[in-house]
C-alpha cells in the first residue's frame, strides 16, 4: 500500500504517468517537461499562460525549473520497481523478455510496461489500475463488463448493465469513487472514536498504575514505621509486629493483584484497539476504491463498544473505595495490641495519616462560616441565613463533624485566636461526636 501511494504521488497530472524529466512552475506544481511544454505551446497567443493543475495564471511564459530532487526520487523508484519486480506481474506485450508491468487495463485484460502504456488507448472505457492478475474480479460475473458503480441498497459493486437492465435496475447507485470515499469517511470516524477510546484507556491504565505505585509506597512507609516502633520492644512485641506486617502485606497483595488484573485487561483492550486502528488506517490508505469496497467484511472494525460500564465501575472502585490500604484497621490492631501488653501505659503510636473531617453545616451557628469543602470553620460578622434547628449550636464557636471515629486515638490541630464569651471555648473548636456547650 505504501508503494502504491508513492507511485500515485509520482504521476504527472497531464499524462497520468510517472514523471519523465520533471520540472516545476512558480505555483509549485510538478509536471513532465514534454507535457508542460505542449500545454504552454497551445496557450501561445491567448494572452497569458496558466498552470494546468491549479489554473494559476502567468503573464509571461513561465521559466521551467528542473526538479532534480524529484527526478532522483523517480529514478530511485523505477530502479526499485525493476530490481524487486515488486508485483511479480510482467507486461503481456513484451514477448521477448519479461518487463515489469506498471499498469493493467481492465478493458484489454492486459498488463503494460511504461513503453506500451504510452501508446495505449486513452479512451475512458480503458480503465487502468495498478498491476493485477485478478482482472476477472474487477468485472461483472454476469455481464463481463467492468465494475463501475456501487449499489447502496444491495451493497454490491455492479456494472453499467446491472444498473440499466439487471437486478439492480432502479436502485440507488454511486460511482466507485463516491462509495469508496463514503466508506473511508465512515472508517475515519470509527478510527477517531477508537483513538479517543484508546486515549481514555491509556489514562485509566496510568491512573491504576499510579494507584498501585502509591499503595506500594504507602505499604513500604507503613512497614518502615512499624518496624521502627518495634525495635525498642522487640522481645515483647515480635508476634504483634509479625501480625501487623502480615496484615499490611496481605492488603497490598490483594489490592495490587486486583489492580494488576484490571491493568492487564485494559492493556489487552488497548492492543485490540490499536490493531483495529492499524487495519482501518490500512484500508483508508488504499488508493484503489474497488479494493476498499471489496475488502472482506469490516463490520468488526466499525463495531465499537458503546461503553464498558463494568470496567469503569471496577476502575473507579479500585481507585476510591477498594483501592487503598485499611490504615485505620492497621492502627486499631496496633493500639489494641499495645494496650493489652502495656496495660494502659502512656504509649502513643500515631500511624494513621491526617484524615479529612467534614463539618456538618446543620450544626454550625449562623455566625460561623463553613468553607465550601466543609473542612474549615471561621467567624463571620455576616449572619448566615440558615434555618433554626435543634441540632444547631447557640454558640457560634462550635460545629460538629458529620463523621465519627469508633475506635483508636485521635487529635485535632486547631487554629485559636479568640475565645467564645459564652462558653470560653476556642472559636475554631471542632467537637466530635457531641458538643460540650449548650
Amino acid at each position: 500500500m505504501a508503494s502504491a501511494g508513492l507511485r500515485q504521488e509520482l504521476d504527472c497530472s497531464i499524462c497520468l504517468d510517472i514523471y519523465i524529466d520533471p520540472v516545476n512552475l512558480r505555483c509549485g506544481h510538478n509536471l513532465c517537461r514534454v507535457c508542460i511544454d505542449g500545454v504552454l505551446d497551445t496557450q501561445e497567443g491567448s494572452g497569458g499562460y496558466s498552470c494546468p493543475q491549479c489554473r494559476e495564471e502567468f503573464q509571461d511564459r513561465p521559466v521551467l525549473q528542473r526538479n532534480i530532487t524529484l527526478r532522483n526520487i523517480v529514478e530511485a523508484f523505477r530502479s526499485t520497481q525493476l530490481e524487486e519486480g515488486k508485483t511479480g506481474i510482467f507486461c503481456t506485450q513484451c514477448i521477448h523478455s519479461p518487463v515489469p508491468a506498471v499498469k493493467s487495463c481492465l478493458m484489454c485484460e492486459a498488463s503494460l510496461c511504461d513503453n506500451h502504456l504510452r501508446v495505449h488507448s486513452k479512451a475512458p472505457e480503458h480503465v487502468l489500475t495498478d498491476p493485477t492478475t485478478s482482472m476477472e474480479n474487477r468485472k461483472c460475473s454476469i455481464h463481463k463488463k467492468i465494475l463501475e458503480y456501487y449499489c447502496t441498497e444491495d451493497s454490491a459493486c455492479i456494472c453499467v448493465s446491472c444498473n440499466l437492465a439487471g437486478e439492480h435496475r432502479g436502485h440507488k447507485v454511486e460511482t466507485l469513487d463516491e462509495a469508496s470515499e463514503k466508506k473511508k469517511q465512515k472508517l475515519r470516524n470509527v478510527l477517531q472514536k477508537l483513538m479517543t477510546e484508546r486515549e481514555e484507556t491509556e489514562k485509566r491504565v496510568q491512573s491504576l498504575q499510579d494507584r498501585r505505585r502509591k499503595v506500594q509506597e504507602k505499604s513500604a512507609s507503613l512497614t518502615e514505621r512499624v518496624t521502627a516502633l518495634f525495635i525498642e520492644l522487640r522481645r515483647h512485641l515480635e508476634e504483634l509486629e509479625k501480625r501487623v506486617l502480615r496484615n499490611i502485606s496481605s492488603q497490598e497483595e490483594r489490592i495490587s493483584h486486583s489492580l494488576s488484573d484490571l491493568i492487564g485487561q485494559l492493556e489487552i483492550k488497548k492492543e485490540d484497539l490499536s490493531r483495529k486502528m492499524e487495519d482501518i488506517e490500512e484500508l483508508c490508505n488504499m488508493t484503489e476504491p474497488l479494493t476498499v469496497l471489496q475488502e472482506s467484511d469490516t463490520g468488526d472494525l466499525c463495531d465499537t463498544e458503546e461503553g464498558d460500564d463494568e470496567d469503569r465501575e471496577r476502575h473507579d472502585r479500585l481507585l476510591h473505595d477498594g483501592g487503598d490500604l485499611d490504615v485505620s484497621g492497621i492502627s486499631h490492631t496496633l493500639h489494641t495490641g499495645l494496650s493489652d501488653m502495656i496495660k494502659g501505659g502512656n504509649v502513643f503510636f500515631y500511624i494513621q495519616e491526617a484524615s479529612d473531617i467534614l463539618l456538618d453545616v446543620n450544626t454550625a451557628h449562623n455566625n460561623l462560616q463553613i468553607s465550601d469543602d466543609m473542612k474549615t470553620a471561621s467567624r463571620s460578622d455576616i449572619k448566615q441565613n440558615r434555618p433554626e434547628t435543634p441540632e444547631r449550636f447557640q454558640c457560634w464557636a462550635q460545629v460538629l463533624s458529620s463523621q465519627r471515629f469508633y475506635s483508636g486515638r485521635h487529635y485535632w490541630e486547631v487554629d485559636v485566636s479568640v475565645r467564645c464569651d459564652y462558653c470560653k471555648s476556642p472559636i475554631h473548636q471542632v467537637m466530635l461526636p457531641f458538643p460540650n456547650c449548650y
Side-chain angles (χ1 to χ4, degrees), residues 354 411-415 428 430:
Y411 73 90
W412 291 263
E413 295 180 357
V414 182
D415 179 16
H428 299 297
V430 178

Side-chain angles (χ1 to χ4, degrees), residues 43-253:
Q43 295 176 349
E44 287 280 2
S46 62
Y49 301 88
S50 63
C51 171
Q53 189 163 345
C54 67
R55 305 302 178 189
E56 181 176 338
E57 297 183 352
F58 312 104
Q59 185 175 359
D60 300 322
R61 180 165 179 145
V63 177
L64 302 178
Q65 299 292 334
R66 192 177 190 185
N67 193 331
I68 298 177
T69 301
L70 181 57
R71 184 202 62 180
N72 294 337
I73 293 174
V74 169
E75 291 179 354
F77 181 79
R78 287 179 184 274
S79 300
T80 302
Q81 293 292 86
L82 291 173
E83 180 181 340
E84 296 181 358
K86 195 164 184 67
T87 61
I89 301 173
F90 300 96
C91 177
T92 55
Q93 306 297 322
C94 296
I95 59 177
H96 298 295
S97 62
V99 178
V102 295
K103 289 289 183 181
S104 293
C105 176
L106 301 183
M107 173 64 72
C108 303
E109 295 190 0
S111 296
L112 307 169
C113 64
D114 274 330
N115 291 332
H116 287 101
L117 182 63
R118 293 183 185 281
V119 298
H120 186 72
S121 173
K122 299 297 189 295
E125 61 268 19
H126 289 268
V127 179
L128 298 177
T129 68
D130 290 332
T132 179
T133 57
S134 57
M135 299 182 203
E136 65 279 1
N137 294 335
R138 300 170 181 266
K139 289 188 176 183
C140 176
S141 60
I142 299 175
H143 303 101
K144 304 304 179 183
K145 293 184 178 181
I146 297 174
L147 299 174
E148 300 180 74
Y149 302 99
Y150 182 75
C151 176
T152 59
E153 295 185 23
D154 297 328
S155 299
C157 298
I158 62 176
C159 68
V160 64
S161 296
C162 293
N163 183 30
L164 297 178
E167 58 180 301
H168 300 279
R169 182 176 57 184
H171 291 185
K172 182 180 178 181
V173 298
E174 299 173 340
T175 65
L176 294 182
D177 286 337
E178 292 173 340
S180 174
E181 189 56 39
K182 287 183 179 180
K183 183 173 181 179
K184 285 183 178 181
Q185 186 58 48
K186 180 180 178 181
L187 292 173
R188 291 187 188 102
N189 293 337
V190 174
L191 178 63
Q192 184 61 43
K193 187 173 183 180
L194 291 175
M195 290 175 62
T196 303
E197 188 172 354
R198 187 182 68 172
E199 290 176 0
E200 180 182 350
T201 302
E202 288 176 345
K203 291 180 181 178
R204 289 160 61 190
V205 169
Q206 184 61 47
S207 63
L208 289 171
Q209 290 174 337
D210 291 342
R211 171 57 67 184
R212 180 176 59 183
R213 176 181 55 79
K214 290 178 180 179
V215 167
Q216 292 170 343
E217 290 176 354
K218 183 176 287 187
S219 173
S221 175
L222 288 174
T223 300
E224 180 181 356
R225 295 169 68 179
V226 169
T227 303
L229 173 66
F230 279 86
I231 289 178
E232 297 293 332
L233 305 172
R234 180 64 61 191
R235 290 176 296 175
H236 304 286
L237 306 177
E238 184 175 358
E239 185 59 34
L240 177 60
E241 179 186 22
K242 292 179 179 178
R243 179 156 46 95
V244 172
L245 293 179
R246 283 198 302 268
N247 192 355
I248 295 173
S249 178
S250 63
Q251 288 189 42
E252 179 197 355
E253 181 179 358

Side-chain angles (χ1 to χ4, degrees), residues 161-395:
S161 296
C162 293
N163 183 30
L164 297 178
E167 58 180 301
H168 300 279
R169 182 176 57 184
H171 291 185
K172 182 180 178 181
V173 298
E174 299 173 340
T175 65
L176 294 182
D177 286 337
E178 292 173 340
S180 174
E181 189 56 39
K182 287 183 179 180
K183 183 173 181 179
K184 285 183 178 181
Q185 186 58 48
K186 180 180 178 181
L187 292 173
R188 291 187 188 102
N189 293 337
V190 174
L191 178 63
Q192 184 61 43
K193 187 173 183 180
L194 291 175
M195 290 175 62
T196 303
E197 188 172 354
R198 187 182 68 172
E199 290 176 0
E200 180 182 350
T201 302
E202 288 176 345
K203 291 180 181 178
R204 289 160 61 190
V205 169
Q206 184 61 47
S207 63
L208 289 171
Q209 290 174 337
D210 291 342
R211 171 57 67 184
R212 180 176 59 183
R213 176 181 55 79
K214 290 178 180 179
V215 167
Q216 292 170 343
E217 290 176 354
K218 183 176 287 187
S219 173
S221 175
L222 288 174
T223 300
E224 180 181 356
R225 295 169 68 179
V226 169
T227 303
L229 173 66
F230 279 86
I231 289 178
E232 297 293 332
L233 305 172
R234 180 64 61 191
R235 290 176 296 175
H236 304 286
L237 306 177
E238 184 175 358
E239 185 59 34
L240 177 60
E241 179 186 22
K242 292 179 179 178
R243 179 156 46 95
V244 172
L245 293 179
R246 283 198 302 268
N247 192 355
I248 295 173
S249 178
S250 63
Q251 288 189 42
E252 179 197 355
E253 181 179 358
R254 174 178 55 81
I255 297 172
S256 295
H257 177 75
S258 299
L259 292 170
S260 298
D261 180 59
L262 183 54
I263 288 173
Q265 295 178 19
L266 292 176
E267 291 286 4
I268 294 174
K269 180 176 181 180
K270 186 174 72 172
E271 293 177 1
D272 184 58
L273 293 173
S274 298
R275 179 189 59 78
K276 289 184 177 181
M277 290 171 60
E278 292 176 358
D279 292 344
I280 291 176
E281 287 176 344
E282 185 176 7
L283 285 175
C284 291
N285 288 331
M286 287 183 178
T287 59
E288 174 55 45
L290 191 58
T291 303
V292 176
L293 295 171
Q294 289 185 334
E295 189 72 14
S296 59
D297 185 21
T298 57
D300 61 331
L301 296 179
C302 298
D303 292 338
T304 59
E305 298 180 4
E306 292 299 325
D308 52 348
D309 295 340
E310 184 176 353
D311 284 347
R312 296 174 189 273
E313 181 179 357
R314 186 179 177 191
H315 168 270
D316 294 340
R317 184 171 64 252
L318 287 175
L319 280 183
H320 301 97
D321 299 334
D324 205 352
L325 297 175
D326 182 14
V327 180
S328 180
I330 296 172
S331 178
H332 175 66
T333 301
L334 278 172
H335 285 292
T336 300
L338 291 172
S339 297
D340 291 343
M341 287 183 290
I342 301 176
K343 297 185 182 301
N346 188 20
V347 177
F348 177 79
F349 178 75
Y350 185 70
I351 193 171
Q352 182 174 350
E353 296 180 354
S355 299
D356 288 336
I357 297 178
L358 302 182
L359 303 178
D360 185 359
V361 69
N362 293 321
T363 65
H365 188 268
N366 273 321
N367 283 98
L368 194 62
Q369 185 172 354
I370 308 299
S371 62
D372 292 337
D373 59 5
M374 300 298 181
K375 297 179 181 179
T376 305
S378 58
R379 178 179 179 177
S380 174
D381 294 332
I382 301 176
K383 190 172 184 179
Q384 308 297 309
N385 188 21
R386 303 190 186 107
E388 294 294 337
T389 61
E391 297 84 5
R392 191 171 307 286
F393 284 113
Q394 299 303 314
C395 171

